[in-house]
Amino acid sequence: MAKLNPFEVAQQQLDKCAKILRLNPGMHSFLRTPMRELHVSLPVRMDNGSVKVFQGFRVQYNDAKGPTKGGIRFHPEETIDTVRALAAWMTWKCALLDLPLGGGKGGVICNPKEMSQGELERLSRAYIREVCQFIGPSKDVPAPDVYTNPQIMAWMMDEYSKITGKNQFGVITGKPLSIGGSAGREDATARGGMYTIREAAKVLGIDLKKATVAIQGYGNAGYYAARLVEAFFGSRVVALSDSRGGIYSKEGLNPDAVREYKLKTKSVIKFPNTKLISNEELLELEVDILMPAALENVITEKNAANIKAKIIAELANGPTIPEADTILYKNGIHVIPDFLCNAGGVTVSYFEMVQNFYMYYWEEKEVHERLDKKMTTAYHSVLSTSKKYNINMRQAAYVVAVERVVEAIKLRGWV
Ligand code: GLU
């Protein structure tokens, strides 16, 4: 099978929404493509003395509602079309959560697993030197994403501050706490997802205390999701995975023990007293809640019919392709779509921006309460829209988000 192009997936999703909303053709085609993008090449001195040139991107998809916002991914298989898709999803995500922000995304083609800390620092700084004219606290504000973390954000913030000659904490979010980070940012993506799962369970009448959970991916989102789903609801995580494979235990897994093991061995696989399973098998397990928390395009027309979960909580961006959506909807599976389910990250990033501008920092409890309110409101606006139009949750999320972006574009007189 040819590799699915995530940008085509994002465009197909938008096309469906354009039909439902009867968007005029001018508006529709404006929303189908990014407003701006920058391609950069980054020469980096490697530890062995050679110079390696990396390719990087930053896409500003739409800024009608405010400065663009979205993470930077470091991934060996990054492509411009993936970044475009992710930037589009950020646009809808920020609008759905009613944040005064547009959507953007960045990426660098590299394999951080094979790079030293020094090489990663030089790459991060090189990226900022090349995109510094393009970004800024009121223009475009990056953040962490796949294989980037608070340390990388710190280097990037520092480089931007050095170039501009002043401390500019607000240029990037997901920073460490001691240099302008927000309390509650670290687990925000997973925590936001929990609030939506709580609401969905109420609606569906699922007792989360008895629920079993499978999580695909054990990075920031997956790890915190495993911890929180136990801590919040007392649910049992029976399966976890990473890029090398998965583990299953009927009795349940201890998220922190697995995390420690992964830090030592670089993978969750072969964790003691577990059964080895593949990533594909994990998706089809008999569980109540399935959380894809890794990469895009994992739920397709090939496996959608085999999924047994009652709720799919999409912590990853773009895990489900449109053909699969149709099957899941027909089978009555409640999908909490990505740009709703994983919006906790950018929501707390927005709180971080506010605190940076304000120069005054909130307690963690305040962050959690504000996040809960945002996520709960967004969940119910999607649910009621899905009922009103008789459409699935993803289409409903699009309807809510796109209407808001369209309104901003019209008010600004662009289209
Ligand atoms: N990378 C995260 C996302 O996909 C967070 C973006 C942000 O905080 O700006 O939503």
Side-chain angles (χ1 to χ4, degrees):
M1 186 180 74
K3 223 171 169 214
L4 277 164
N5 179 336
F7 188 43
E8 283 170 18
V9 170
Q11 287 183 319
Q12 280 176 33
Q13 292 167 342
L14 176 72
D15 294 346
K16 274 193 197 149
C17 171
K19 252 197 208 141
I20 297 167
L21 287 176
R22 298 204 184 88
L23 283 189
N24 80 50
M27 182 67 80
H28 181 193
S29 59
F30 183 56
L31 293 176
R32 277 186 116 243
T33 44
M35 289 176 66
R36 284 178 290 277
E37 53 186 56
L38 186 63
H39 296 225
V40 292
S41 55
L42 312 166
V44 173
R45 177 79 56 196
M46 304 305 276
D47 289 348
N48 66 9
S50 69
V51 169
K52 197 164 165 186
V53 182
F54 295 90
Q55 299 303 313
F57 317 104
R58 184 75 192 165
V59 174
Q60 296 170 356
Y61 197 84
N62 188 293
D63 63 1
K65 285 188 65 65
T68 45
K69 186 86 194 77
I72 300 171
R73 307 208 309 178
F74 281 2
H75 199 273
E77 278 154 41
E78 195 62 284
T79 67
I80 181 62
D81 273 343
T82 313
V83 181
R84 286 175 180 140
L86 290 159
W89 290 325
M90 284 309 303
T91 307
W92 317 132
K93 191 182 308 190
C94 292
L96 179 61
L97 272 287
D98 221 359
L99 309 177
L101 298 168
K105 202 74 161 203
V108 177
I109 308 170
C110 66
N111 189 352
K113 288 183 185 165
E114 289 169 2
M115 293 170 73
S116 70
Q117 284 298 100
E119 289 168 343
L120 275 175
E121 175 173 356
R122 292 192 290 281
L123 174 65
S124 303
R125 291 185 186 275
Y127 180 79
I128 291 302
R129 282 197 300 279
E130 291 312 314
V131 304
C132 68
Q133 305 291 338
F134 202 56
I135 63 170
S138 52
K139 271 207 252 182
D140 180 12
V141 181
D145 203 287
V146 172
Y147 296 156
T148 54
N149 57 34
Q151 175 63 74
I152 291 175
M153 300 304 111
W155 291 323
M156 290 184 167
M157 179 280 287
D158 181 70
E159 191 68 21
Y160 187 82
S161 295
K162 287 279 190 309
I163 293 168
T164 55
K166 48 192 172 202
N167 272 312
Q168 300 243 37
F169 285 179
V171 71
I172 204 157
T173 60
K175 300 179 294 293
L177 265 184
S178 56
I179 45 172
S182 173
R185 177 65 184 86
E186 186 72 11
D187 70 5
T189 305
R191 184 174 290 268
M194 295 303 125
Y195 297 135
T196 64
I197 291 171
R198 179 194 63 201
E199 294 308 301
K202 273 191 226 161
V203 172
L204 302 172
I206 293 175
D207 180 2
L208 287 173
K209 225 193 259 148
K210 294 195 192 119
T212 51
V213 182
I215 304 176
Q216 187 197 42
Y218 214 51
N220 172 290
Y223 162 62
Y224 283 111
R227 270 183 67 163
L228 292 175
V229 82
E230 283 193 1
F232 269 47
F233 313 122
S235 312
R236 186 158 35 104
V237 178
V238 294
L240 292 171
S241 72
D242 59 28
S243 58
R244 299 188 194 180
I247 52 177
Y248 176 84
S249 160
K250 202 165 163 243
E251 289 72 44
L253 296 155
N254 175 332
D256 282 303
V258 177
R259 158 101 145 184
E260 243 165 66
Y261 177 85
K262 180 174 161 81
L263 284 174
K264 264 193 245 136
T265 64
K266 305 253 182 291
S267 175
V268 301
I269 58 171
K270 302 201 183 126
F271 183 76
N273 303 321
T274 58
K275 192 176 134 206
L276 196 63
I277 54 171
S278 68
N279 267 295
E280 292 72 31
E281 284 167 330
L282 181 141
L283 297 171
E284 299 178 11
L285 286 174
E286 191 119 8
V287 289
D288 299 297
I289 303 173
L290 172 64
M291 294 193 223
L295 294 175
E296 55 282 347
N297 297 344
V298 293
I299 302 179
T300 67
E301 73 279 14
K302 296 230 169 74
N303 60 4
N306 302 333
I307 289 182
K308 297 163 195 83
K310 299 186 183 90
I311 297 177
I312 300 181
E314 296 183 338
L315 285 173
N317 287 309
T320 307
I321 69 162
E323 290 82 350
D325 263 333
T326 312
I327 300 169
L328 298 173
Y329 189 53
K330 213 175 67 208
N331 290 350
I333 296 173
H334 187 78
V335 176
I336 310 174
D338 52 0
F339 67 80
L340 168 61
C341 189
N342 70 30
V346 73
T347 302
V348 177
S349 274
Y350 163 63
F351 297 160
E352 184 173 331
M353 286 173 72
V354 171
Q355 294 168 83
N356 291 154
F357 283 123
Y358 217 42
M359 289 281 265
Y360 180 77
Y361 290 81
W362 306 342
E363 305 270 326
E364 192 168 54
K365 186 165 170 277
E366 185 166 358
V367 172
H368 291 169
E369 284 166 6
R370 287 177 188 268
L371 176 62
D372 190 349
K373 205 166 156 197
K374 278 271 180 212
M375 297 299 303
T376 304
T377 307
Y379 176 85
H380 286 287
S381 64
V382 172
L383 185 70
S384 60
T385 305
S386 93
K387 288 189 179 143
K388 179 175 157 199
Y389 288 87
N390 205 10
I391 51 181
N392 70 34
M393 290 286 280
R394 190 179 323 279
Q395 287 162 350
Y398 264 92
V399 166
V400 177
V402 170
E403 267 188 326
R404 290 182 183 161
V405 176
V406 164
E407 185 188 346
I409 291 171
K410 281 190 187 155
L411 286 168
R412 295 182 73 152
W414 291 355
V415 176

